[in-house]
Amino acid sequence: MQMALDQAHAAAAAGEVPVGAVIVGPDGTILAQARNQMRASLDPTAHAEIAAIRAACEKLDNERLTDCSLYVTLEPCPMCAGAIAEARIAKLFYGAADVKGGAVDNGVALFDQKSCHHAPEVIGGLRESECAALLRDFFALRRNG
């Protein structure tokens, strides 16, 4: 999760919402690291999870990330949760819950839906206070600065 937090800090420094993601292979190899880049790329789909999934799939030359784990600093949104399911990621570890925009343990709870063909094992709250503080501080600076 530290590497995901490092990516989130880099996103914040670039003026992006501070979310970072890391995908780890079954043998513990880091397959991909990414951060939010929606503003820089002018792409609303450039979330950290999507970028990490794309990079890991390219590295493995496979559209499936079976037996891989995704670490992300914020509970994934509906788009990212859908991509996680489609990529068949085995385990999802996330930091801060997102009551407003999350889709794993909040909102649509995508992995609990009958239409979801694959649900990863989910472990939420990993370094939650640190992940939440980074987001809170980022938005406080934007409101007040």
Side-chain angles (χ1 to χ4, degrees), residues 24-66:
V24 179
D27 62 354
T29 302
I30 304 301
L31 299 175
Q33 299 180 56
R35 60 182 172 85
N36 275 0
Q37 295 188 48
M38 287 94 63
R39 288 175 171 248
S41 64
L42 302 175
D43 179 359
T45 69
H47 289 201
E49 300 96 319
I50 300 294
I53 288 169
R54 287 176 177 156
C57 286
E58 187 173 324
K59 185 168 189 172
L60 294 178
D61 195 30
N62 195 327
E63 78 280 7
R64 299 284 168 90
L65 298 174
T66 308

Side-chain angles (χ1 to χ4, degrees), residues 1-11 17-24 30-37 46-56 69-74 76 80 84 89 92-95 131:
M1 184 58 94
Q2 183 59 52
M3 294 172 91
L5 275 161
D6 292 344
Q7 289 292 318
H9 282 284
V17 174
V19 177
V22 174
I23 296 180
V24 179
I30 304 301
L31 299 175
Q33 299 180 56
R35 60 182 172 85
N36 275 0
Q37 295 188 48
H47 289 201
E49 300 96 319
I50 300 294
I53 288 169
R54 287 176 177 156
S69 298
L70 169 64
Y71 293 80
V72 62
T73 57
L74 181 64
C80 293
I84 290 164
I89 290 173
L92 166 64
F93 299 88
Y94 73 83
C131 293

